[in-house]
Amino acid sequence: MMPQRIHLQYEACLFNSNSLIGCQVRRDPEGSTERYTRWINNISQDQLSTQVYTSHGPTVIMPTWFCSRDWFQRVGTFDEGGKGVPEDLLWFYQSVGQGGGVVRVDQCLLVYRYHQQAATHSVLEETIWNLRVAFLHERVINQWESFTIWNAGKQGRKLYRCLSSFNQKKVRAFCDVDENKIKKGFYTYEESKRPKPQIPVLHYRDASPPYIICVKLDMTGGVFEENLKSLHLEEGVDYYHFN
């Protein structure tokens, strides 16, 4: 870590005593996990709270964490289950769930090493997925009367299938840009009991918020981001990312 890390994060913590304080990072070797590193360093302060459901995990990464002893003790200790347990995500969700803030010091205060033997690779993708879906249910979907899933492809359909039967009924439509999916007109949930639900598939311009967005960011040369921006929606109110 950089020499000024503790000083700067301590100063931030004085004004955010019930928050988890992170910072920007530099990857070693340089260029590893470029897309993830851009996300770590560049999402806005507001997005540190709204993008907690994405597959990237905690919006401030665990090696950068700094918080008061009082807040740590209030949230509780880490899960000591060992290999395969995403203890950082579990603790992060506990902190956010108890009303904790998320703050980032916008200076590079940590060199974050990447290697294939890192413990993070022992955590199954499905384990992370299930935790994310549960947190999304609790914090967002349970509060909504209805919503649209943005992505009629694999990820959007998987999210739909993982919802509780009560919350599946809240899905008014899928939306997409794929003409073949839109022309078909609906998605049939084949694994369901009869009668099998058929959920409309619309062009994103014909759909209605709020949205759960299952499209990966920073993967389309800016096309998806421009489509979303054109709708003049507010993140954290009209949509949440679950990519």
Side-chain angles (χ1 to χ4, degrees):
M1 56 186 182
M2 305 305 178
Q4 68 273 39
R5 176 187 173 184
I6 291 177
H7 171 68
L8 292 175
Q9 289 191 294
Y10 175 72
E11 282 191 334
C13 194
L14 292 177
F15 296 99
N16 301 276
S17 59
N18 293 344
S19 294
L20 195 56
I21 315 295
C23 66
Q24 293 176 326
V25 303
R26 175 169 60 84
R27 267 304 211 187
D28 178 29
E30 188 175 346
S32 55
T33 66
E34 284 187 274
R35 180 169 156 265
Y36 176 51
T37 304
R38 278 196 300 273
W39 181 80
I40 291 168
N41 289 334
N42 296 318
I43 61 173
S44 71
Q45 293 290 336
D46 287 340
Q47 288 171 327
L48 295 176
S49 297
T50 60
Q51 293 196 10
V52 297
Y53 311 101
T54 78
S55 57
H56 286 319
T59 49
V60 289
I61 61 169
M62 185 184 181
T64 72
W65 287 2
F66 187 108
C67 69
S68 70
R69 181 187 298 271
D70 285 346
W71 184 248
F72 179 80
Q73 290 177 334
R74 191 183 311 179
V75 174
T77 55
F78 284 95
D79 187 312
E80 297 286 354
K83 188 175 181 179
V85 174
E87 76 288 342
D88 57 341
L89 183 63
L90 288 167
W91 199 92
F92 181 75
Y93 279 171
Q94 285 178 298
S95 179
V96 172
Q98 292 184 37
V102 188
V103 176
R104 187 185 64 226
V105 175
D106 282 336
Q107 292 191 45
C108 179
L109 304 178
L110 187 86
V111 177
Y112 184 28
R113 190 162 64 98
Y114 176 82
H115 59 96
Q116 287 295 334
Q117 288 72 44
T120 188
H121 298 305
S122 71
V123 181
L124 296 176
E125 184 178 327
E126 201 65 17
T127 300
I128 301 291
W129 173 276
N130 291 334
L131 290 171
R132 291 166 53 218
V133 170
F135 201 55
L136 184 72
H137 261 115
E138 175 189 334
R139 302 274 297 179
V140 179
I141 293 175
N142 286 347
Q143 323 308 322
W144 283 350
E145 293 184 2
S146 62
F147 64 99
T148 299
I149 296 176
W150 190 321
N151 187 353
K154 182 179 177 181
Q155 292 295 301
R157 297 195 303 267
K158 181 179 179 181
L159 174 61
Y160 175 84
R161 293 193 299 270
C162 290
L163 298 175
S164 66
S165 58
F166 179 76
N167 282 330
Q168 283 177 349
K169 294 182 175 70
K170 296 181 180 181
V171 179
R172 64 164 73 94
F174 290 90
C175 71
D176 212 292
V177 294
D178 186 318
E179 290 298 333
N180 291 328
K181 294 184 180 74
I182 295 166
K183 282 179 182 177
K184 184 177 180 181
F186 57 87
Y187 161 67
T188 303
Y189 181 26
E190 295 291 354
E191 294 85 350
S192 176
K193 296 177 181 178
R194 295 182 182 277
K196 299 182 185 297
Q198 291 189 332
I199 300 90
V201 178
L202 309 173
H203 191 277
Y204 76 91
R205 291 194 179 279
D206 298 322
S208 302
Y211 302 94
I212 298 297
I213 298 177
C214 297
V215 180
K216 290 183 178 180
L217 293 165
D218 197 16
M219 291 286 284
T220 61
V223 173
F224 164 71
E225 287 81 358
E226 283 301 313
N227 289 342
L228 179 59
K229 186 178 178 181
S230 73
L231 299 179
H232 307 290
L233 302 173
E234 182 180 351
E235 186 170 357
V237 176
D238 300 311
Y239 67 92
Y240 285 91
H241 286 287
F242 188 80
N243 46 299

